[in-house]
Structures are given as C-alpha cells and as structure tokens.
C-alpha cells in the first residue's frame, strides 16, 4: 500500500512536470533573481504577435484585466508552456533581477499556476462530442502510458459529461466532484474541480488517490475516443476510462411517465447485494430514503446510517437517476461509515428500480460494470420517521435554562474515559431560545436547529464554514459534531450543562460544559432581526459545495421594514418584496437592472438571484445570515457594518505576516514552499479582507472604530498543505477572532488581542 501511495505521488509530479512543458533558457550567471516578489493575475492571448527585440520575433500578448488592451511581452514567462489557440489566465510572481544583462529586462515573471485555459476558435464549453454524452465513464487505471496503475480495491471513480452545463461530474472515489470543460478538436481543458468534503477513512489510501485524480484532471490537455474506451492525456500521464451505464449527469429529454410509484413514499434499507455478497443493513444505524410527492422529478432525503443526505432524482418508467446533493459531514465509526459510503455511491450509480408490494429494489452499476442492488422495505405509518427534515422550534413555555449564555466545552466522557477539551481550540455552543443553536467545535462555526421535550433534546445538524483544520483540532470537532448528532437528553443549572449522547458502543456519553458568564445570548431570530443591517454575500452553497464570492465584487441585500428589499448582485441592482412569518421567508417580484457584466460576475449574479427566488427560510447566528431553500442550497451573508465602508487608513493596503504571537510566544511566519504563498491579506474598500494563511484563500469582514478593529467569521477554501503551513494557517484564523485593536507605525501593522497575548504583526507590501 505504501508503494501505491508513493507511485500516486510520483504520477502527480510527472503530470505537473508535463504541464510545464519546455524549460526556460538559463539565466546569465550574473543575473540573480531576487525572490519573494508580488503575485498577480495576468491573461495571455490565444495567438502571438510580430515584434522586434534584438531581432524580429513573435511576442506573447498579455494584459492584467479582462477589459484591458493586449500588450506585447518580449520575454518568456518562466515555467509556462504556451500553446497557440488557447487563452490563459495565469497567476504569476514578478521578481527583480540584480545586474541584468545590458540587453535584458530587470524584471521577470514566474508562473505560479495556470488558473484557466480556454480554447479560442471552434471550441466552446458546450461543444462536447456527442459520443461522450449519455454515458458514465468508469476509470480503470491511470499513470504513465506504459506503467498504468489500477485503482485501489473496493474503490470506483466515475466521469460524466453534461452538455447543457458545459461541465463534468462524477465520483472521485469518496467525494462527488464537478468542473468546467472546454473542447477544441481533440484538445480538452478542465477547470479546477469543486468537490464535496467527506472523509472516507475505511479504505487506506482512498483520499490520496482521490487527490491525485483531481489534480491530474486539471492538467488534461487532450483526449482520444475509441468505441467504449476514453483516454484523457496529461503530458506523459494518461487516464483510461471505459463506458458504463448511462451517467446521472446526462440531461436528455425523455417523455414523462404516467405515474411515479416512489412519490410520497418512505423506505428503510434491508440489505445491500454486490455480486454474490449480501450484506444486511446495520440494525443500530438504520439507512433510509424518502421521496417527495412532486411527480417524476423531485427531491429525496435520507441517511446512510450516520449523515443526512438530500438531493434530486428523476424517473422515466423503471429508469431512475439521482443527482448528488448535500450531506452533513460527520465522521462516523466503522462499520457505519462503510455502509454509508456504499449507499451514497450506489444511489449515484443507480440505473433502474422495481417496486413489488412493500419492497423497493434499486439496481446500480458496480465497479465491474455488473448490476448490484439496494433492497428497501416500506416504512410503516407506525415507524418513527427516520428522515426528519426539520425540527420544530422550542415553544416559549419550554424555554430551558440554556438560553442567555454561551456554554464552553470542558470535557468529553465516553466509555468511562474523560477527555479534556483542547485549551487552544475552545469549543462552545449557544442557544437562542427559539429553536436555533450556534457555536464552534474548535475550528469551524456551526449553526442548526434543536428541539426539546422535558429533559430530551435533539439537534438538527445544519451548516458549517467547512475550513480545513490541523489535527488534533479536527478530531475534536468531528467528535463534537457526532456527539450533538447523537444527543438524547440534558441536565443543566445556572453554571453547568451536560448533554448526554449515545456512543458507538451503545453506551451513554457526556459533553460537559461550563457557562461563560461574560457572554450574552443573541436575540431569537425574528422579523426585526433582518432590518438592522446591510448583509454582504460571502458564499453560495449549492449541491453541497461552498463557492466563495468573486474577488472585487460585493453582492449584498438590505431588508426594509415596509416589506421591500433591495441590493446588488455584484453588477446589477435588484429590488422586490419579501414576506416573513417567524423564520419562514419568501421573496416576491424580484427585478433587476440589465447592465452588461463580465461573464463570471454575471454567472455569480444569476446564481444569487435564482437562489433568492427559491428561499423558504432563514437562520441568523450573531453576524451571519443564512438564506435557505427547501433543496438544501444556501446563501451565506455576513453583517456589513456602516463604519467599515468608505476610506480609512487601512483601506486598499496589503500586508505580509511576519510574526505571530500566541500566548505571549512569538513565532516567525513561514512561506508555503510548495506554491510560494505567504500569509497576509489586503483590506478592501467594501469592508472585508482577502488573503491567505499560507495555504488557503481566506475572506472575512472587518469593522473599524478609532484604533479598534474586529473581524467576522473567516471563510476559506479547503486545500491541504504541509502540516507546518496548516498549523500556521489555523493559528492565523484563530487569532483573527481574538483581535480587538491595531497600531500602525510606518510600514508595520500590529493587530492585538485585549490582553496583548495574541498578536499578528505585518509588513506593508509595496504597491
């Protein structure tokens, strides 16, 4: 197995080298570059232009914004392999060359990443060859052409082409993924994939295999198609697929069936059959599925035994397909996680179904191409609903001694063993008294619903900011979430709270909390809580994937007390009305201006307005507002304070982290050597910061008043980097939450906590 992991890493390195292509000419001996220059984005045209340097030659055409004019670039971009016919978006670093040759430039550009590679000419994003459509492509092997490696036993990676959306979708073995795709003849380019964020620990090496596969997809440059075989090329590395059953991503129009026997039904898993192996469903972790009553195309919800699942499905006669939807992200013990993985992968590979009396059989394609089955029994009216989609709010006369204070986690108790909470990653929970809770497991912010009856309590696992965190913090957070998900009862007084939960062994565990007497409880969500601020969009969560808003755009919304709403989608202004009933929220008669925008901004704006039209309810936790749809999609906003807007001494400045002080101990910042990324951020005019902790892109709102400053919840991408970089990034984001004051002395910015024990010290980045 170790050999397999080493091989995958080598394959990824080979693909990366192949993507770089030609080697730039060596620098003259006395032309030493000065490292650490500023990073920026440039665009490269699809064709070169004649130019004259020392002699006539062809020059690249570059520009720094999409609407700028092309400019001739007389040098090479180090590490970049240009191919005519493609327009590129590159992330580059500019470095100064000391003692350049007399006929050479004093500056050079070095490639950091190819952000996008788009064919120009006959190819378009929707120009997918017909022979690729309507099929599910199953990966057989990948690697060097003469040294192909099979997939790990018990894993399957799939690929489907969606002509309408101009994208690919599939399973990477654990998580579902999607990416944009462009064709031009036999040339093919794939954008950076987005993916769900499940953890699948049951197969050793599956996460490394998935990471290698997704990285190679970005490096694909061409394809060949022969009957049922598809080969994707990434330099010297190839990915070999064969066609399987029809892909769930296909969107071919089919006649509507006269009736859907699944609509409005609920089913409990009985057994899973793969080949000749029949595995009974786990009695202590029942898996189930329910279908809404919307006809041949609707929504499903369920559980694989641990996490709650939801998505869309469609039927045509006895054919059925499921679209990947959303899932909570709780890590579960074995064998529950193995069962859940089997169920979710089976649904995505489903091809047809059969209902006989009170039995439902769903047929799905296995990794070997043969049909396997999920067998369900109909849930009776006396069964407890295994798929609670909502938890009713706690009524006023049930108000427990939980609201009015934040509860700080002290310890876990499980199977007689007490484990203290991590002191450097405090976990806590706050109840609003109206059926909503918020808090953190030590890294990410959490929010959801809760319900009580006497001393019984249950939690509806809601949303998380989903940042990547180092161990052991991630272990604590997963354990915290799992315990809340399995909660059964509680005991509380004015200063202590104990939440009891069912352990994996069937015993009773405890979450022990102590009251934080300095905290106050946010007011229960209600109609008045939306009109007190302008709300700035942070991310669009669709299909289980959180997509941060584009840089330099400020989508926002404002609610007025008269029932009107107005805002911006990032380009156009919109307006309309809204109706509130408790936490139920709907928008009516939304309209907007029709200015021309950059395509990616218009796509973001269209997605935002489409989701607004589908909103049915909202949640508010502190300065975060969630607008939710019945399909599980969410718009995440943060409160925009008035005094963050306009000009101040930090607006428009960029800063590089030099020192991080934690508990009074100073540590020098490190640079991510893999991608040359430093920790730091820029203060943007719209009242937020955008930057990195050294690995992931981080965005957060900020509020200024005199020399005081505070930061809102940080939203982050989910890349994994070296452990020391991840440790720094976690400390960086945690420190932001504690910052209260700043001092600015020349080119040094110091952000400090109230007790000065936590500080972030920055150096100004020259413009």
């Amino acid at each position: 197995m170790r050999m397999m992991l080493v091989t995958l890493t080598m394959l990824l390195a080979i693909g990366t080298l192949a993507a770089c292509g030609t080697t730039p000419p060596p620098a003259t001996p006395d032309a030493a570059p000065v490292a650490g220059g500023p990073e920026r984005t440039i665009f490269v045209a699809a064709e070169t232009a004649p130019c004259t340097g020392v002699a006539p030659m062809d020059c690249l055409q570059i520009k720094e914004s999409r609407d700028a004019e092309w400019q001739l670039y007389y040098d090479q971009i180090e590490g970049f392999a240009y191919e005519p016919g493609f327009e590129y978006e590159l992330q580059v670093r500019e470095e100064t060359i000391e003692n350049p040759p007399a006929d050479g430039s004093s500056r050079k550009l070095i490639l950091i990443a190819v952000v996008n590679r788009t064919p120009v000419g006959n190819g378009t994003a929707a120009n997918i060859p017909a022979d690729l459509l309507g099929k599910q492509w199953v990966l057989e092997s990948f690697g060097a052409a003469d040294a192909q490696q099979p997939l790990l036993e018990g894993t399957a990676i799939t690929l489907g082409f969606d002509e309408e959306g101009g994208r690919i979708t599939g399973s990477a073995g654990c998580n579902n993924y999607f990416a944009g795709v462009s064709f031009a003849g036999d040339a093919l380019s794939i954008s950076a994939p987005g993916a769900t964020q499940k953890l699948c620990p049951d197969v050793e090496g599956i996460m490394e295999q998935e990471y290698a596969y997704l990285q190679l997809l970005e490096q694909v440059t061409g394809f060949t198609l022969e009957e049922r075989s598809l080969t994707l090329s990434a330099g010297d590395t190839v990915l070999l697929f064969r066609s399987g059953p029809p892909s769930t991503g296909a969107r071919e129009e089919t006649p509507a069936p006269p009736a859907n026997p699944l609509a409005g039904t609920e089913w409990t898993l009985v057994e899973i059959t793969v080949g000749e192996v029949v595995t009974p469903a786990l009695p202590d972790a029942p898996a189930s599925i329910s279908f809404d009553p919307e006809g041949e195309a609707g929504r499903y919800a369920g559980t694989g035994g641990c996490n709650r699942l939801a998505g869309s499905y469609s039927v045509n006669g006895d054919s059925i397909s499921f679209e990947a939807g959303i899932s909570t992200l709780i890590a579960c013990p074995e064998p529950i996680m193995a069962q859940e993985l089997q169920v979710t992968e089976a649904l995505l590979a489903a091809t047809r179904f059969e209902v006989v009396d009170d039995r439902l059989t769903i047929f799905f394609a296995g990794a070997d191409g043969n049909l396997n089955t999920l067998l369900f029994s109909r849930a009776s009216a006396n069964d407890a609903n295994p798929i609670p989609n909502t938890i009713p709010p706690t009524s006023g006369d049930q108000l427990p001694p939980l609201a009015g204070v934040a509860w700080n986690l002290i310890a876990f108790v499980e199977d007689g063993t007490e484990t203290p909470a991590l002191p450097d990653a405090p976990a806590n929970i706050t109840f609003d008294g109206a059926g909503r809770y918020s808090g953190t497991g030590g890294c990410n912010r959490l929010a959801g619903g809760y319900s009580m009856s006497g001393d019984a309590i249950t939690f509806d696992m809601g949303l998380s900011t989903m940042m990547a965190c180092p161990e052991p913090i991630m272990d604590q957070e997963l354990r915290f979430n799992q315990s809340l998900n399995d909660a059964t009862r509680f005991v509380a007084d004015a200063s202590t709270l104990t939440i009891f939960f069912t352990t994996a062994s069937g015993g009773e565990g405890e979450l022990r909390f102590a009251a934080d007497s300095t905290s106050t409880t946010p007011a229960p969500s209600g109609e008045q809580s939306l009109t007190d601020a302008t709300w700035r969009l942070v991310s669009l969560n669709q299909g289980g994937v959180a997509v941060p808003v584009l840089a330099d755009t400020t989508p926002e919304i404002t609610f007025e007390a008269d029932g009107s709403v107005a805002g911006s989608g990032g380009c156009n202004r919109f307006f309309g009305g809204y109706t509130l009933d408790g936490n139920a929220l709907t928008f009516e008669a939304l309209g907007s201006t029709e200015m021309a925008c950059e395509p990616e901004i218009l796509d973001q704006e269209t997605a935002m307005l489409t989701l607004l039209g589908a909103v049915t309810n909202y949640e508010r936790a502190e300065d975060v507002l969630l607008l939710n749809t019945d399909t599980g999609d969410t718009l995440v906003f943060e409160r925009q304070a008035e005094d963050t807007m306009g000009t101040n001494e930090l607006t428009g400045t960029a800063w590089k982290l030099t020192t991080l002080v934690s508990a009074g101990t100073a540590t020098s910042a490190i640079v991510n050597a893999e991608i040359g990324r430093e920790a730091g951020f820029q203060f943007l005019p719209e009242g937020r910061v955008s930057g990195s902790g050294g690995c992931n892109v981080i965005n957060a709102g900020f509020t200024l008043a005199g020399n005081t400053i505070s930061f809102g919840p940080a939203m982050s991408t989910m890349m994994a980097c070296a452990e020391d970089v991840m440790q720094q990034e976690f400390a960086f984001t945690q420190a932001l939450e504690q910052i209260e004051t700043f001092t600015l002395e020349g080119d040094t910015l110091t952000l400090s906590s109230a007790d000065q024990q936590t500080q972030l010290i920055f150096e100004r980045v020259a413009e």
Side-chain angles (χ1 to χ4, degrees):
M1 177 58 66
R2 292 297 174 195
M3 179 63 72
M4 178 65 176
L5 297 184
V6 171
T7 302
L8 288 173
T9 303
M10 291 175 63
L11 292 178
L12 184 55
I14 291 170
T16 302
L17 290 173
C20 293
T22 59
T23 303
T28 55
D30 61 344
V34 179
E39 297 180 11
R40 67 178 194 260
T41 297
I42 66 171
F43 300 88
V44 180
E47 59 184 6
T48 58
C51 61
T52 301
V54 177
M57 59 190 228
D58 288 330
C59 286
L60 294 177
Q61 300 182 83
I62 71 171
K63 59 184 179 180
E64 296 198 11
S65 65
R66 293 187 184 277
D67 55 357
E69 296 293 329
W70 293 111
Q71 303 290 328
L72 294 176
Y73 184 68
Y74 289 81
D75 294 322
Q76 292 185 348
I77 300 173
E78 186 173 312
F80 172 53
Y82 175 74
E83 183 178 350
F86 293 88
E87 186 173 306
Y88 295 85
E89 180 180 352
L90 308 179
Q91 185 180 7
V92 298
R93 182 173 67 253
E94 183 179 73
E95 293 190 354
T96 302
I97 299 176
E98 293 182 349
N99 304 316
D103 59 351
S105 172
S106 63
R107 294 183 176 273
K108 63 189 269 188
L109 295 181
I110 299 176
L111 179 69
I112 297 173
V114 178
V115 179
N116 200 6
R117 177 177 180 269
T118 305
V120 175
N122 295 329
T124 67
N127 190 25
I128 300 175
D131 289 341
L132 295 177
L133 299 171
K135 299 181 178 70
Q136 183 184 65
W137 296 94
V138 181
L139 184 66
E140 290 189 324
S141 60
F142 63 110
D146 57 352
Q148 287 283 289
Q149 293 289 330
L151 270 63
L152 296 171
E153 184 177 352
T155 65
I157 294 177
T158 62
L159 170 69
F161 291 86
D162 174 5
E163 182 176 33
E164 181 179 332
R167 66 176 187 167
I168 57 173
T169 61
S171 169
C174 173
N175 288 282
N176 299 314
Y177 70 92
F178 65 92
V181 62
S182 299
F183 286 85
D186 60 357
L188 165 65
S189 66
I190 298 173
S191 66
T196 54
Q197 299 291 333
K198 291 187 300 180
L199 179 66
C200 302
D202 53 308
V203 178
E204 183 180 358
I206 189 173
M207 301 309 294
E208 291 86 349
Q209 174 181 273
E210 177 171 285
Y211 176 76
Y213 170 71
L214 294 177
Q215 290 291 302
L216 285 175
L217 281 184
E218 289 188 62
Q219 301 169 20
V220 167
T221 58
F223 77 100
T224 57
L225 181 62
E226 297 179 0
E227 296 182 356
R228 297 184 57 184
S229 175
L230 170 65
T231 302
L232 302 185
S233 304
D236 294 332
T237 304
V238 297
L239 300 93
L240 300 180
F241 295 82
R242 60 168 176 76
S243 64
S247 167
T248 60
R251 302 191 179 190
E252 299 175 352
E253 296 295 331
T254 54
N260 174 10
L262 299 180
T265 61
E266 298 180 6
W267 306 86
T268 302
L269 183 68
V270 175
E271 63 188 28
I272 305 172
T273 301
V274 177
E276 298 180 356
V277 179
V278 179
T279 305
L282 298 173
D284 297 330
S288 56
I289 190 169
S290 69
F291 301 88
D292 70 14
E294 293 300 321
E296 71 279 0
R299 305 292 302 175
Y300 71 90
T303 174
C306 172
N307 286 282
R308 293 180 180 173
L309 318 170
S312 62
Y313 78 100
S314 61
V315 299
N316 179 25
D318 64 352
S319 297
I320 189 168
S321 63
F322 293 84
E323 291 280 353
I326 62 171
S327 169
T328 53
L329 297 171
I330 301 168
C332 313
E334 297 298 350
I336 299 173
M337 202 68 193
Q339 170 183 280
E340 182 156 284
L341 183 62
Q342 270 194 299
V343 171
T344 53
E345 289 186 342
L347 291 179
L348 293 178
T351 58
R352 63 184 182 91
F353 72 98
E354 180 179 87
V355 177
V356 178
D357 297 328
D358 288 332
R359 294 285 172 138
L360 164 65
T361 303
I362 294 178
F363 299 85
F364 64 95
D368 57 2
N370 295 321
L371 287 181
N372 305 309
T373 60
L374 296 174
L375 178 63
F376 296 83
S377 64
R378 192 184 300 270
S380 68
N382 295 326
D383 289 344
N385 182 6
I387 315 156
N389 293 320
T390 59
I391 292 182
T394 305
S395 62
D397 58 2
Q398 294 177 304
L399 187 65
L402 302 184
V405 67
W407 299 94
N408 297 323
L409 182 67
I410 302 300
F412 297 86
V413 179
E414 190 168 353
D415 297 329
T417 302
E418 180 173 329
T419 305
L422 297 173
D424 297 330
N428 58 64
I429 191 168
T430 300
F431 302 86
D432 70 357
R436 306 303 303 173
Y437 75 89
S438 62
T440 175
C443 174
N444 288 282
R445 292 182 180 270
L446 317 170
Y450 72 96
S451 180
M452 297 190 328
S453 178
D455 66 348
I457 189 168
T458 56
F459 291 85
D460 177 19
M461 303 310 292
L463 293 176
S464 165
T465 49
M466 295 177 62
M467 291 194 300
C469 314
E471 302 298 350
I473 298 167
M474 203 67 194
D475 285 339
Q476 171 181 281
E477 183 155 285
L478 291 171
R479 191 176 181 186
F480 184 70
N481 291 348
Q482 180 68 63
S483 301
L484 291 179
N485 191 52
D486 295 333
T488 57
R489 64 187 182 93
F490 75 97
V491 173
D493 57 30
S495 59
T496 63
L497 165 66
T498 301
I499 296 177
F500 298 88
F501 61 92
T502 302
T503 66
S505 62
E508 189 172 62
E510 301 175 18
L511 292 174
R512 295 180 179 174
F513 298 85
D516 183 348
S517 59
T518 65
S519 67
T520 58
T521 303
S525 299
E527 297 184 17
Q528 76 284 358
S529 63
L530 297 182
T531 60
D532 59 349
T534 294
W535 299 93
R536 182 175 55 249
L537 184 66
V538 176
S539 69
L540 300 91
N541 297 359
Q542 294 180 279
V545 179
V547 180
V549 297
L550 297 171
D552 301 324
T553 64
T554 56
E556 62 184 24
I557 189 170
T558 302
F559 297 85
E560 301 295 343
D562 62 1
S564 63
V565 65
S568 168
C571 174
N572 287 281
R573 300 293 300 176
F574 67 87
F575 45 85
Y578 71 96
T579 300
L580 276 174
D581 183 6
N583 278 81
L585 170 65
T586 56
F587 294 91
E588 303 94 24
L590 290 176
S592 73
T593 57
E594 296 184 357
M595 292 193 300
C597 316
E598 293 290 339
E600 63 270 24
I601 298 177
L602 184 60
D603 288 344
Q604 172 181 277
E605 183 168 272
T606 300
M608 174 185 175
L609 295 178
T610 300
L611 287 181
L612 281 179
V615 166
T616 59
N617 65 88
Y618 79 96
E619 307 168 32
R620 179 174 175 180
E622 299 178 356
D623 291 334
V624 177
L625 173 66
L626 310 178
L627 303 185
N628 307 312
T629 72
D630 280 343
T631 61
D633 295 333
T634 299
L635 293 164
V636 182
F637 294 84
E638 64 182 11
R639 181 190 180 99
Q640 178 174 290
E642 291 183 3
D643 60 353
T644 67
M645 309 309 294
T647 302
N648 56 65
E649 56 190 326
L650 297 181
T651 297
T653 59
W655 302 86
K656 176 179 70 175
L657 182 68
T658 59
T659 307
L660 193 154
V661 180
S662 179
T665 301
T667 304
S668 297
I670 59 176
V671 177
N672 186 339
E674 291 184 52
I675 57 177
R677 180 172 289 172
E678 297 175 313
F681 49 56
Q682 181 177 13
F683 289 87
L684 302 177
E686 59 269 22
R688 63 187 178 94
V689 291
S690 179
S692 173
C695 177
N696 288 279
V697 176
I698 296 172
N699 286 276
F702 73 93
T703 301
L704 279 177
N707 72 330
T708 65
I709 187 171
S710 62
F711 294 88
M715 301 295 291
S716 167
T717 55
M718 292 286 290
M719 289 197 307
C721 298
E723 183 64 22
D724 56 347
V725 177
M726 295 303 293
Q727 291 284 355
Q728 171 181 278
E729 185 160 276
F730 177 75
F732 180 65
T733 55
Q734 291 292 295
L736 284 179
E737 296 186 10
Q738 303 175 46
I739 296 304
E740 295 189 13
T741 63
F742 76 95
T743 58
L744 184 59
E745 297 180 358
D747 290 332
T748 300
L749 170 66
T750 303
L751 306 180
S752 305
S753 62
D755 60 4
Q756 305 289 307
Q757 291 297 295
T758 298
Q759 290 186 321
L760 297 171
I761 303 174
F762 299 85
E763 175 184 299
R764 189 190 300 268
V765 176
E767 297 183 1

